[in-house]
Amino acid sequence: SAVISQKPSRDICQRGTSLTIQCQVDSQVTMMFWYRQQPGQSLTLIATANQGSEATYESGFVIDKFPISRPNLTFSTLTVSNMSPEDSSIYLCSVAGQGQNIQYFGAGTRLSVL
Amino acid sequence: TQLLEQSPQFLSIQEGENLTVYCNSSSVFSSLQWYRQEPGEGPVLLVTVVTGGEVKKLKRLTFQFGDARKDSSLHITAAQPGDTGLYLCAGLTTSGTYKYIFGTGTRLKVLA
């Protein structure tokens, strides 16, 4: 198993500002993912964080808006840039071992943009 | 675009009743996971099914993967209030990129 620490757990931000969310894992993992979830709804994959290379973004998400870093196999950050109220959501990071068919999640970051 | 549709979207039942949640797609997945999520927490993995036709049991929960690996079901026997939560299926796709596609979700409430 893997233990994931996500910071901050929640934040209230002003429109036009940026927030960086951190994801720390207690062991080295191959795959790290960032998701967005509206309260009570399902998860939408934002991107796969690749160690040592640029993240792979899903349709509808771009690097300028959601820059991602992954400097090593235990840490990643997601920045929500130039925020608007539409960015209010829960952001979750997860990790998986390739071929393990198991995915572990952090508790999420609840973001409110005023 | 790969989609996983879950039904029903919402379900409110009395304690002791049985229920089934369905997860359907037109795409084939390498494996399929079921998660339960409670408010303020991340999803927690319940089970992974890998082989077409596979059936797995976890106490009162029974999971089945369709023969063609395009669909799955979750059956709960004698539901308890502790089963309340958001149930999510997620298909693993390895064609092109390695990633999980999440279903639309089923919110279950079990009344005492």
Side-chain angles (χ1 to χ4, degrees):
Chain A
S1 66
V3 178
I4 301 169
S5 299
Q6 200 172 324
K7 296 179 183 179
S9 58
R10 60 176 61 232
D11 207 342
I12 301 173
C13 301
Q14 297 295 320
R15 76 168 64 215
T17 63
S18 298
L19 176 71
T20 295
I21 303 169
Q22 298 180 1
C23 180
Q24 179 75 53
V25 190
D26 67 344
S27 58
Q28 293 187 343
V29 291
T30 307
M31 314 293 291
M32 293 183 79
F33 305 96
W34 287 98
Y35 292 89
R36 184 169 70 184
Q37 182 181 31
Q38 297 292 337
Q41 297 187 23
S42 187
L43 280 68
T44 300
L45 181 63
I46 297 172
T48 301
N50 302 308
Q51 194 267 330
S53 65
E54 193 171 284
T56 304
Y57 290 85
E58 296 300 305
S59 176
F61 298 96
V62 295
I63 187 171
D64 290 345
K65 176 66 176 177
F66 298 100
I68 289 171
S69 77
R70 178 132 188 232
N72 55 54
L73 292 176
T74 63
F75 186 78
S76 178
T77 66
L78 168 74
T79 299
V80 186
S81 303
N82 189 25
M83 288 183 285
S84 67
E86 292 70 36
D87 294 320
S88 297
S89 191
I90 301 167
Y91 293 84
L92 295 145
C93 75
S94 75
V95 302
Q98 193 157 358
Q100 290 181 3
N101 293 319
I102 297 175
Q103 191 175 193
Y104 299 99
F105 283 86
T109 296
R110 184 178 293 268
L111 171 63
S112 297
V113 184
L114 305 178
Chain B
T1 303
Q2 294 173 299
L3 294 174
L4 273 170
E5 297 286 340
Q6 285 183 236
S7 61
Q9 187 177 0
F10 298 100
L11 191 56
S12 180
I13 61 172
Q14 293 293 324
E15 181 176 5
E17 292 184 7
N18 302 331
L19 67 119
T20 301
V21 178
Y22 299 94
C23 174
N24 294 301
S25 176
S26 59
S27 302
V28 176
F29 293 99
S30 300
S31 66
L32 195 135
Q33 294 81 38
W34 283 93
Y35 296 82
R36 182 170 65 214
Q37 184 180 25
E38 299 187 24
E41 303 289 333
V44 175
L45 181 68
L46 296 174
V47 77
T48 300
V49 285
V50 179
T51 306
E54 182 177 3
V55 176
K56 281 191 174 180
K57 291 191 175 184
L58 182 66
K59 296 184 180 178
R60 293 177 292 101
L61 280 60
T62 302
F63 305 85
Q64 184 163 8
F65 202 11
D67 291 340
R69 291 186 289 132
K70 293 181 179 182
D71 54 84
S72 181
S73 63
L74 158 61
H75 182 79
I76 301 179
T77 302
Q80 305 290 317
D83 296 326
T84 294
L86 178 65
Y87 288 81
L88 298 160
C89 62
L92 174 63
T93 175
T94 57
S95 58
T97 58
Y98 183 101
K99 62 185 179 183
Y100 297 86
I101 306 297
F102 273 80
T104 48
T106 295
R107 181 161 297 281
L108 171 65
K109 186 169 186 178
V110 182
L111 305 171

